[in-house]
């Protein structure tokens, strides 16, 4: 990967030389970095001259893009990971159980206990756990919301005809 020096800062970039192109394009992207697309007949000195001219813009753009947080890595649902619940993060404990045919989720003593069937391999268990957790979160959200609706209805002196959100 070519590098261009601007002051004390080294700017790495990907160079694509395209036949028939007449001008130089500089693209600064969050995940991909800096890409320079130039005509195939241009020598490196000419490319460096344009990069020197645009270096301040490249650095400004790069610095503003670096303020964006990277997306978190997708969960693998192993026992060292943590999941959010009611404003805090709790560890998960995953174990296999030969007596079940679908994933079970239980929250007990500040931990998520997740049981997976032994028939599922590591690749299959991730989507199975994700779906089971989604259902568990929805079910718990309904219970918590219903509790709050009842509490505030009572405080406000309202009579509820239906207390279920489903």
């Amino acid at each position: 990967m070519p590098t261009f020096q601007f002051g004390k800062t080294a700017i790495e970039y990907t160079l694509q030389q395209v036949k028939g192109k007449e001008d130089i394009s500089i693209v600064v992207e969050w995940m991909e970095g800096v890409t320079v697309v130039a005509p195939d007949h241009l020598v490196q000195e000419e490319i460096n001259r344009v990069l020197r001219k645009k270096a301040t813009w490249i650095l400004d753009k790069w610095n503003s893009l670096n303020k964006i947080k990277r997306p978190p890595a997708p969960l693998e649902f192993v026992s060292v990971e943590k999941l959010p619940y009611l404003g805090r993060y709790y560890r998960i404990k995953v174990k296999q159980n030969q007596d079940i045919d679908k994933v079970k989720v239980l929250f007990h003593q500040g931990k998520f206990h997740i049981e997976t069937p032994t028939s599922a391999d590591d690749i299959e268990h991730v989507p199975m756990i994700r779906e089971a957790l989604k259902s568990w979160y929805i079910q718990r959200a309904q219970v918590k919301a219903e509790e709050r609706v009842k509490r505030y209805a009572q405080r406000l002196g309202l009579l509820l005809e239906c207390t279920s959100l489903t």
Side-chain angles (χ1 to χ4, degrees), residues 8-28:
K8 294 183 179 181
T9 306
I11 302 170
E12 287 188 351
Y13 63 94
T14 304
L15 177 61
Q16 297 175 359
Q17 292 192 294
V18 179
K19 186 174 184 171
K21 186 161 176 62
E22 295 182 20
D23 59 349
I24 295 178
S25 302
I26 302 171
V27 180
V28 182

Side-chain angles (χ1 to χ4, degrees), residues 101-160:
D101 58 346
K102 65 179 193 172
V103 176
K104 289 172 59 175
V105 177
L106 176 71
F107 184 77
H108 182 67
Q109 294 182 341
K111 279 188 187 171
F112 284 97
H113 297 271
I114 301 171
E115 293 184 0
T116 61
T118 53
S119 60
D121 62 12
D122 288 344
I123 295 172
E124 288 177 356
H125 93 274
V126 171
M128 291 171 61
I129 292 174
R130 184 171 280 113
E131 281 303 311
L133 278 166
K134 183 179 174 182
S135 297
W136 184 87
Y137 274 117
I138 290 170
Q139 179 186 17
R140 294 303 302 155
Q142 288 174 335
V143 169
K144 290 288 184 188
E146 288 172 7
E147 289 172 359
R148 298 263 167 96
V149 167
K150 286 179 186 175
R151 182 177 349 143
Y152 285 105
Q154 191 175 31
R155 284 184 183 177
L156 296 171
L158 300 174
L159 182 62
L160 295 177

Side-chain angles (χ1 to χ4, degrees), residues 37-51:
V37 184
D40 63 343
H41 60 81
L42 276 185
V43 293
Q44 189 64 43
E45 292 302 319
E46 187 65 24
I47 295 170
N48 285 347
R49 186 184 65 74
V50 173
L51 286 173

Side-chain angles (χ1 to χ4, degrees), residues 4 6 11 24-26 28 34 36 47-62:
F4 171 72
F6 181 71
I11 302 170
I24 295 178
S25 302
I26 302 171
V28 182
V34 180
V36 177
I47 295 170
N48 285 347
R49 186 184 65 74
V50 173
L51 286 173
R52 250 189 315 278
K53 185 177 175 183
K54 296 290 186 179
T56 305
W57 174 83
I58 293 169
L59 290 175
D60 287 346
K61 188 79 167 165
W62 182 248

